[in-house]
Amino acid sequence: MTTASSADAVPGKPSVAVLGTGIMGSGMARSLLRARLPVRAWNRTRAKAEPLATAGATVTDTAAEAVRGADVILTVLNDGPAVAETLTAAADGLRPGQVWLQSSTVGLDATTELAHRAAGLGLVYLDAPVSGTRQPAEQGTLTVFVSGPSGARPTVRPVLEAIGGRTVWAGEDPGAATRLKLVTNAWVINLVNGVAECLNLAEGLGTDPRLFLDAVKGGPLDTPYLQQKAAAVLDGDLTPSFALSTALKDSRLILDAAGASGVTLDLIAASAERFARAQAAGHGDQDMIATYYAGRTG
């Protein structure tokens, strides 16, 4: 059974099947709907997709129903196994020639495996992870890294313009965009743990962390990210824009890729340990700045 009917074809606009409507997927779906692209949405837990019906999406019971007839398939799921399972679930609705925009961060090995599966199904595979969190996803201002056949660009251009403020084409190799995403995530992961440790140190020394934030504000050492993430901790609002459990998963993907390429990443290894401690303490579903709690002594 479905609800709403906006997934009907609209002349000149590609129809999009959004598979996965968590923090990022739901925001991206809403951005597509604002751009008046027909959207069919599916999530393993249907209740998470239902709110999109009021925004104009067709919510489906199955992944196969969502992809049937779609021009573009957009996957926004947690990891490689989740994407692979969803592709299997969608198999009955797939047809050769559909463009698969794979935006989940799954690592290099899984990207290669998914690209091979896509080829076997006759799908046009675009490796398309995004940089950004909840707010950019909802505002359609993500940065999208894309690699894959250049011939698919005209089909996906309206989709990319709807979900992102910028598209970075990384090449024809399906893994090129994922490699770029892993490098970008390494920067973010080190940055968020740097913020957390400065707050921990200020607390330990009995220094008001707001004095630290004021001391660097507006100078070369300041960043909007520092101010935003520190404020989240100090205000006690850890609503996830990017969950700590996802940051831990991405840290491990980065370490796997680094190890395979002969690179040692001491900071990412330490960040992964901090994320793991914070998750074990019950903060996995909170924003990744909850890594702050891994540095507290009490």
Side-chain angles (χ1 to χ4, degrees):
M1 185 179 85
T2 62
T3 59
S5 59
S6 69
D8 295 338
V10 175
K13 292 183 180 290
S15 58
V16 186
V18 178
L19 305 182
T21 59
I23 292 174
M24 299 298 290
S26 61
M28 292 161 77
R30 291 182 185 278
S31 294
L32 292 166
L33 290 165
R34 282 198 308 275
R36 302 183 63 81
L37 271 65
V39 172
R40 290 183 181 271
W42 171 87
N43 196 76
R44 183 173 56 183
T45 303
R46 180 176 171 128
K48 290 186 176 181
E50 286 288 0
L52 293 171
T54 60
T58 296
V59 178
T60 69
D61 287 325
T62 68
E65 188 179 0
V67 304
R68 189 169 289 115
D71 299 304
V72 177
I73 300 163
L74 174 63
T75 46
V76 197
L77 298 153
N78 185 60
D79 54 26
V83 177
E85 290 170 9
T86 298
L87 185 64
T88 298
D92 288 345
L94 297 173
R95 60 171 171 76
Q98 287 175 299
V99 178
W100 180 12
L101 202 62
Q102 206 304 96
S103 291
S104 317
T105 301
V106 299
L108 291 174
D109 290 343
T111 295
T112 299
E113 292 171 5
L114 293 172
H116 286 160
R117 285 193 64 183
L121 293 166
L123 303 176
V124 180
Y125 186 83
L126 293 181
D127 178 19
V130 300
S131 179
T133 54
R134 179 195 294 268
Q135 187 174 19
E138 293 174 345
Q139 295 176 342
T141 57
L142 295 165
T143 297
V144 190
F145 308 131
V146 190
S147 60
S150 58
R153 294 188 186 188
T155 300
V156 298
R157 185 171 292 114
V159 177
L160 297 174
E161 290 176 349
I163 65 175
R166 185 182 179 208
T167 298
V168 179
W169 289 94
E172 299 274 327
D173 170 17
T178 286
R179 290 192 289 270
L180 179 57
K181 174 64 188 296
L182 293 177
V183 173
T184 303
N185 271 14
W187 167 246
V188 174
I189 286 166
N190 285 336
L191 192 59
V192 76
N193 279 293
V195 174
E197 290 200 343
C198 285
L199 296 177
N200 290 149
L201 182 60
E203 180 182 60
L205 296 177
T207 298
D208 185 347
R210 297 185 190 277
L211 286 178
F212 157 63
L213 296 173
D214 185 62
V216 301
K217 189 173 183 178
L221 300 181
D222 193 19
T223 69
Y225 196 83
L226 165 62
Q227 299 291 338
Q228 292 165 7
K229 291 302 182 184
V233 171
L234 298 175
D235 295 342
D237 182 5
L238 298 178
T239 302
S241 60
F242 192 85
L244 184 142
S245 59
T246 304
L248 173 57
K249 179 263 296 183
D250 287 359
S251 298
R252 290 169 173 165
L253 291 177
I254 292 166
L255 290 172
D256 287 345
S261 62
V263 175
T264 300
L265 300 179
D266 297 316
L267 295 181
I268 294 295
S271 290
E273 290 180 5
R274 280 186 66 98
F275 287 142
R277 291 201 307 275
Q279 178 167 273
H283 300 286
D285 291 336
Q286 295 177 333
D287 189 82
M288 64 177 173
I289 190 56
T291 183
Y292 160 81
Y293 291 102
R296 298 188 64 176
T297 56

